[in-house]
Amino acid sequence: MQKAIAKYGLAAHLSLLAVAPLFLFPFCEAPKIATAMLWLSLVGAWWIMLEPSLRGGEMLHDARRRVSLAIGRDPLFWVFLVVVAVAGLRALNTGIAMSYDFETRTWSVLQPAVSVFPGAFASSGALPFAATVALAVVVTGCRHALGSSARMAFLLMASSLSGAAAALLIFLASRGNAAASAVVAGNSGWFYHSGVAFALYLLCGTVSLFAAFERHWNAAVLLAVFSVGGNAAGMFVFSPALDAAVFAVATLLLFIAVFIVACRKLRGSGEFRMVVVYALVMVMGGLLVVAALPDGVVSARTAPFVSRDFLPSGLLDCRRVLSEAAFKSWTAHPWAGVGLGAFQFDLRFGVAAADWVLLPRGVAAVPNGWWQLLVEHGIVGTVVLALPFGLLMFTYFRRAAGCVRARRLPGPAVLAAPLALAALASTAFFDCSLLRADVIVVVGAILAVSAKSFPREMLRGNG
């Protein structure tokens, strides 16, 4: 019992931490979501130190000592401390607001308390700070405290929880819940789509389904209804057509790789049973969408796939105008950026009067995640945020090179990272979803799990 708790208890806590924003964002304000994530991060960190996965013949106190030493020697852990510190100071560096000068009769944007340091508007920095803390906890746990089976259990539980969140939102929307219906309807001026997070968890669910068949987790196969079907429904309903199409291609490529590996590793007709299960849960996800949502919503979601016109009308003009405004704002604050949540004020001065007709009502961000990242975080903030992901990618490619030299065939989980990054990087040119708290955490988890999925004999050190 102790071994089972140590192996899967930590995975359950980390998965709950990663998925928490998807359950909370329709119903809670960002500061409340940040508070919940910080408390869950504390519990997750506690479990990492107290209940890490046990290796063969290892006692619990030996596992704790091993994990503690590994974390202390990991450069990524110390980088995370810097990232968390910068995010925390940025969340506290407020003061950004619109100001009106009665003498000159002009509007201006007030700078944060420390203008040379990245700042934030009001409480806009709380959720990014909580996301960096959650990212540090989840990635550290996946790198050092979870064994191979526990990492697959983490993917299975996290993707199942996210699929359940998607199914819950769709069901509540069908029952007329205002918050859920607002998420389904979307906001033309809001370019942070939760469907991208569901799409990333769909990749996790695809990998975890193979792991369930490989490890004979027969009861866990039933969770594919949520880990695959629920996330597929969430990706279709809560993301733009372009994002859904890109991630659908990524999912298809990953499943092909999973099937090829399954043909080599699963006994009997296991690979065909896996295909049947995958197809059935995909159909169930489609039936959920058709049965729960009005015909008009379903038709609107399927229309771009029929016409093959994946870009909404006017998006390119809107993107051009807002990108030009973002460039003007960034050149005025290249190092520290304008501050989190502050671009909504700067664009009032950077957009010409004639161009406002091209913008949706209530627009507050650029439909280009790379520009949004640079204009609000600045060069310093962008580099700081990119550091942990750069180290995770370095670890991935170093271990991939070792696997190639040894001529070993890794599992399909190693392909989740490059496919997720490629899909996310390409869709980021048309929305800001890569900056969502839930997306940041799951991307870090996918990178960590993929790197650890290369054959263990090829690994040296803790990097």
Side-chain angles (χ1 to χ4, degrees), residues 429-449:
F429 287 100
F430 297 96
D431 62 44
C432 302
S433 302
L434 82 163
L435 300 177
R436 287 179 59 96
D438 39 37
V439 171
I440 289 175
V441 176
V442 68
V443 168
I446 290 174
L447 277 169
V449 172

Side-chain angles (χ1 to χ4, degrees), residues 166-202:
L168 177 64
L169 278 178
I170 294 173
F171 173 76
L172 290 177
S174 69
R175 306 300 296 176
N177 181 273
S181 299
V183 177
V184 173
N187 184 340
S188 58
W190 180 255
F191 303 108
Y192 298 83
H193 307 291
S194 60
V196 171
F198 292 123
L200 290 167
Y201 280 112
L202 176 58

